[in-house]
Amino acid sequence: MAMPGTLDSANLNGGQKLAVKYFTVALALFGAQIVFGLLAGIQYLKPDFLYGVLDFSVNRMVHINALVVWLLFGFIGSSYWLLEDEAGIPVVGLRLGNLVFWVFTLAVAVVVVVYLLVQIGPGDHSTLWLINEGREYIEAPRWADIGIVACVLAFFFNVAATFAKGRYTGIGGVLVLDLIALFGIYLAGMFYTPNISVDQYWWWWVIHLWVEATWEVLVGCLMAYGLMQTLGVRRKIVETWLYIEVALMFGSGILGLGHHYFWIGTPEYWFTIGGFFSALEPIPLVAMVVHSVFDSGTHNMKNNNHPALAWIIAHAFGNFFGAGVWGFMHTLPQINLYTHGTQWSASHGHFAFFGAYATLVIAFFYLALQKWRGNVWMSGGLAGAWRWKWALGLLNLGMVGMVMAMLVAGYEQSQIERAIEGSSWVGYFVAQAHPWFVQGMWWRQVFGWMFAAGFVLLVWDLLTLGRGERRPAQAHSESAPR
Amino acid sequence: MSHTEWWASESFWRKTAIWVTAGSFVALIFLTLDSMSAITAGSTRVPAYSVINHRIDYVFDEKRNFQVPVIGVEEPLFDQTLTEAEAEALVSRGKLTTQAKNCMNCHTLLGNGAYYAPDLTKAWLDPSWGSKDVREQMMVDFLMNPQDRLHNGLGRRMPNLGITEGEARATVAFLKWMASIDTNGFPANFTPIDQSDPPADDASAANGSPIPQQGG
Amino acid sequence: MIEPVALQDFFLTFFSAAMVILCGALYALLFAYARVRRRQRLMPLAYLAYLGLVASVLVLAMAANLFATGFWTFIVMLMLIGYLLAPHAIWHLCVGTHAHDHPDQESGPYQKQS
Ligand code: HEM
Ligand code: HEM
Ligand SMILES: [Fe+2]
């Protein structure tokens, strides 16, 4: 065993060694996401910036694809992270898992290089197969789709086979079923149709059923594990609550899909379905609030990893505000008619993606770091603790600032472009030229730089936190695994 | 040690989770089957591709309380009446072009996509094309060479995406077809281009430059 | 089916919708806190938050013209009743699921002796 306080893979089990590889790539892609977000943001202010070289469409595509892929890498890494702890045995087929990691990473790199250098192609199927599919978030060309499915099948084999051979915990069972759903849904986005209504119908299956159903349940599994690790909550309780959450999330989230079917050609009954389930969607969030108060009342918040817990708390708030509050504000068709496809959507999209998912993956980065350094002390009185605190503050403030800036812009846009001007070409630019909008875009950029500064600190912190720390991690008040 | 009530037990909630998920999913499947039949091309909500042979308008419907597309007299695109198969091939080529050129990462279509450029749901009906006689050609010209056609005070131009004439015409067909989809009144309050037939003494060309400077 | 929001009601719609969720959470939070810490004095505050929720739901219903049709009126009712009962139900679930933790759940405060 190495000295505590140094990064040493001897501190990790097989699955965790693979996990930290996925985490490393995830962090790099997070950086790329920010760079291209900033470029796209600048183009709102200075339209000639990189015009004809890296057009807005290219920057935005890389921005949101990097987002989706770094979160998926974070989730896959997190799953490998908890796999051996949960199943009680070494990962089955780990060599395959390692090989697939490199193939997957290489494929992502090739896709991005083609996005940047080739960008677009002729209007026929060859472009969809080789360059990009031109469908938001799932632009990856068809060859990459197939590659992704193959890689993910291998990952799935690792997870399912390990649980099957070891023991199937409740978390394990939910995780396996959820992964089937998560990647099964991806298939719904892998076909071509000339019919834009049919296209968008299935496109939303992928996007909505990911972020409001399967991803929520996946982070539910990760949270369950994280709570046992950081707070030492008992397994039976954690797992019962995981089931409750699955019931509430899927019960409201699956048919909540209706809130995307108001205006794409689909029948009017989706108004009713979308409205009804949107009214239910806050219930799981209320459940989490009550339960977390209950838990903090019954466990005295002694925890062994302060940065991780701080990010878990950020996750709870972010999920509540970004998805719950921001989602509900524009979800009823009576108002969505005017907010649909404006900066309003962008405000909500940023808040929810960051609040619900980016935060939790970052929490796992810290859990991994602690163990990697030999399970060292990461509670109060840590050397250089200012770094993680400032990173936390800058990232969250930067995000909230961007979200507010887009909210103001979207508020103006929904009124002037959508309601007054009837969404015409002229009306669009009247709204874009309004001072509230223009200033909103400037503030988005300013807070974007703040966010980027937070990211730099985060990386620095992940490279240094706990280095040379000799104290062992603080013990739990209760012991976690059964 | 008190026992756990049945309604708070792990097994009850495991079963509930499974049933709720399965139930919602089955409901979604049925709704999907129904929606698919309502939105296949050729249904009332999503017209057949050969609708591009006709005039398409967007008119307020008192009963439904919002604007709906209205399919009018024959008005073939580029003066060519197409069969259903030909129309589908043309629209499909246009759709492929929108995907290959990544239009959705600047524009919204049916309100979904990116917010850097105007919504294209009713682009076919946009009054800024000037008059209906020049519209088709204006659209083709614009798509092929947008870089030197700026129409807003912000300096935000669409880049040249290497669109060929064939692709541009197909894209216009796609846009025309898309304008015929019944979107439950989105976008609201939209004023379509004047498509009424000109009075005998054709006075409509008097408007000067068909695409005026506009905005900011 | 729906009666879209009038221009002058946009702000009210966004604001009241946000307040519905915020009051709902505040009510749930105070409710749980009052019970878990055995501070009955906080209970009136919890119900005050719920009153805030009722007001927000009603304002939202007016601004978004929800009373225009039977179905949306039903949604309003659902929100009013659902959000009143949800924290109670969830509280019982908390107590129920933690039964093994706290054998004497009905008597002692929910404080871990540590
Ligand atoms: C963590 C959970 C969530 C995430 C990550 C998320 C993310 C997003 C994103 C990125 C979009 C924009 C999609 C696009 O590019 O067109 C979107 C749209 C939307 N979201 Fe969410 N969302 C979440 C939860 C919710 C919830 C709980 C609600 C409702 C209560 C909601 C309501 C909506 C609506 C109505 C739209 C459509 C906006 C439009 O019409 O343009 N979302 N969401
Ligand atoms: C430096 C910080 C960032 C900047 C400057 C930035 C900027 C942008 C811009 C300009 C767009 C295009 C919006 C449009 O179409 O008009 C965008 C889209 C998007 N960004 Fe960011 N972004 C940043 C960070 C993030 C982060 C951290 C996340 C999530 C974790 C995120 C998630 C998204 C999503 C989901 C969309 C698509 C939204 C939609 O279609 O509604 N961004 N971003
Ligand atoms: Fe959604």
Side-chain angles (χ1 to χ4, degrees), chain A residues 60 64 67 136-137 203-204 207-208 211-212 215-216 259-260 262-263 277-279 281-282 285 318-319 322-332 336 339-342 344-346 348-357, chain B residues 108 111-115:
Chain A
R60 187 188 197 270
I64 59 179
L67 162 70
E136 206 191 351
Y137 303 106
W203 179 79
W204 277 119
I207 309 308
H208 172 101
V211 300
E212 278 169 71
W215 286 24
E216 284 277 7
H259 61 214
H260 303 296
F262 299 151
W263 327 112
F277 286 93
S278 293
E281 284 201 61
L285 300 168
N319 202 359
V325 178
W326 257 239
F328 191 69
M329 277 202 271
H330 69 150
T331 197
L332 296 179
N336 189 258
T339 57
H340 182 45
T342 62
W344 239 109
S345 317
H348 158 68
H350 278 87
F351 209 174
F353 257 114
F354 177 77
Y357 300 123
Chain B
T108 46
N112 291 313
Y115 321 120

Side-chain angles (χ1 to χ4, degrees), chain B residues 1-215:
Chain B
M1 181 130 133
S2 67
H3 74 292
T4 310
E5 300 285 349
W6 62 268
W7 47 262
S9 70
E10 195 175 347
S11 71
F12 169 75
W13 279 101
R14 189 190 304 121
K15 287 181 202 130
T16 308
I18 292 171
W19 281 106
V20 166
T21 306
S24 305
F25 192 66
V26 168
L28 179 61
I29 297 287
F30 278 103
L31 289 164
T32 297
L33 291 175
D34 185 78
S35 289
M36 276 304 131
S37 68
I39 62 173
T40 31
S43 63
T44 48
R45 301 190 60 92
V46 180
Y49 300 106
S50 56
V51 76
I52 58 172
N53 292 329
H54 291 261
R55 175 186 297 172
I56 291 155
D57 211 340
Y58 194 46
V59 178
F60 194 80
D61 179 322
E62 291 292 341
K63 228 174 78 204
R64 295 179 68 194
N65 195 27
F66 47 69
Q67 281 165 289
V68 295
V70 171
I71 297 161
V73 298
E74 263 195 52
E75 221 166 68
L77 188 67
F78 305 117
D79 292 323
Q80 279 168 340
T81 305
L82 302 181
T83 64
E84 183 57 41
E86 288 166 340
E88 170 161 2
L90 191 64
V91 170
S92 182
R93 186 170 184 209
K95 168 76 159 27
L96 281 168
T97 304
T98 63
Q99 291 186 228
K101 306 295 179 187
N102 217 346
C103 314
M104 261 186 110
N105 267 312
C106 284
H107 291 277
T108 46
L109 282 74
L110 305 181
N112 291 313
Y115 321 120
Y116 188 69
D119 182 53
L120 296 183
T121 310
K122 302 290 172 191
W124 168 253
L125 296 174
D126 202 285
S128 293
W129 297 115
S131 77
K132 78 166 187 182
D133 304 315
V134 297
R135 162 175 59 182
E136 290 166 10
Q137 198 53 44
M138 299 277 326
M139 291 180 83
V140 170
D141 293 347
F142 176 79
L143 288 174
M144 291 174 67
N145 281 301
Q147 72 282 1
D148 35 52
R149 289 178 166 79
L150 173 65
H151 313 90
N152 61 78
L154 300 176
R156 212 184 287 169
R157 283 175 297 161
M158 175 162 153
N160 188 322
L161 300 167
I163 297 175
T164 65
E165 174 153 20
E167 286 168 350
R169 291 165 76 98
T171 304
V172 174
F174 169 74
L175 292 174
K176 182 173 184 184
W177 170 75
M178 183 162 66
S180 76
I181 295 173
D182 182 346
T183 50
N184 290 339
F186 175 85
N189 205 20
F190 180 85
T191 314
I193 189 171
D194 181 9
Q195 297 183 103
S196 55
D197 290 310
D201 63 312
D202 195 4
S204 66
N207 280 18
S209 143
I211 302 189
Q213 283 295 120
Q214 51 189 237

Side-chain angles (χ1 to χ4, degrees), chain A residues 442-453:
Chain A
W442 276 103
W443 283 112
R444 189 252 304 270
Q445 203 65 22
V446 170
F447 283 107
W449 287 108
M450 182 192 266
F451 189 90

Side-chain angles (χ1 to χ4, degrees), chain A residues 46 79 88 152 178 188 191 203 282 337 372 398 435 455 464 475:
Chain A
K46 301 278 166 212
S79 307
V152 158
D178 191 60
F191 70 103
W203 179 79
L337 175 61
W372 203 359
F455 174 78
T464 51

Side-chain angles (χ1 to χ4, degrees), chain C residues 36-59:
Chain C
V36 83
R37 298 276 166 175
R38 305 238 136 195
R39 301 229 174 107
Q40 278 305 318
R41 279 174 298 130
L42 286 179
M43 223 20 127
L45 282 184
Y47 285 101
L48 206 64
Y50 175 71
L51 274 186
L53 180 144
V54 172
S56 310
V57 168
L58 293 179
V59 171

